[in-house]
Amino acid sequence: QVQLVESGGGLVQAGGSLRLSCAASGRTFSRYVMGWFRQAPGKEREFVAAITGSGGSTYYADSVKGRFTISRDNGANMAYLQMYSLKPEDTAVYYCAAGRRPGEGLGTYDYWGQGTQVSVSS
């Protein structure tokens, strides 16, 4: 069982930056692929980024490539999403998730956090 808690969301102006954090419980954190997803009002939850257990491989949605960076600290059981050059269309609730293999589908991930709101004003 893995429990995930996100933090770091907030309100930021377009062009600004935020770093989201995801704290994970359990002693097997490094075995899990960590992913970030987001859900805007009235839209489906969508893939943002993922990182393998070792941190050796990362994956990004085209919409955030070059602006967002996913990372992890296995010693601290933490995953991060650094977001730069934020746009109003990045406004959403952001969720971290843990799974056994990387992927963009929601079903790829077994555990989910409760989400943190990111709002970008124009």
Side-chain angles (χ1 to χ4, degrees), residues 28-113:
T28 59
F29 178 70
S30 63
R31 297 180 185 178
Y32 288 93
V33 170
M34 296 301 296
W36 285 95
F37 287 74
R38 66 186 182 186
Q39 188 166 18
K43 295 188 177 181
E44 294 184 351
R45 194 171 298 189
E46 65 176 5
F47 171 78
V48 174
I51 186 168
T52 54
S54 67
S57 295
T58 57
Y59 308 84
Y60 296 94
D62 288 342
S63 59
V64 307
K65 204 171 291 184
R67 299 189 299 122
F68 291 9
T69 301
I70 189 170
S71 62
R72 65 189 298 158
D73 180 346
N74 286 343
N77 279 19
M78 296 291 294
Y80 304 98
L81 186 68
Q82 178 69 55
M83 304 184 293
Y84 297 102
S85 302
L86 283 161
K87 305 175 181 179
E89 51 263 44
D90 294 317
T91 295
V93 177
Y94 283 71
Y95 300 88
C96 70
R100 290 295 186 177
R101 56 185 176 86
E104 298 185 9
L106 275 65
T108 306
Y109 298 84
D110 302 311
Y111 303 101
W112 293 83

Side-chain angles (χ1 to χ4, degrees), residues 7-37:
S7 60
L11 174 64
V12 64
Q13 289 188 331
S17 302
L18 277 177
R19 188 175 85 151
L20 305 183
S21 299
C22 176
S25 66
R27 294 175 290 178
T28 59
F29 178 70
S30 63
R31 297 180 185 178
Y32 288 93
V33 170
M34 296 301 296
W36 285 95
F37 287 74

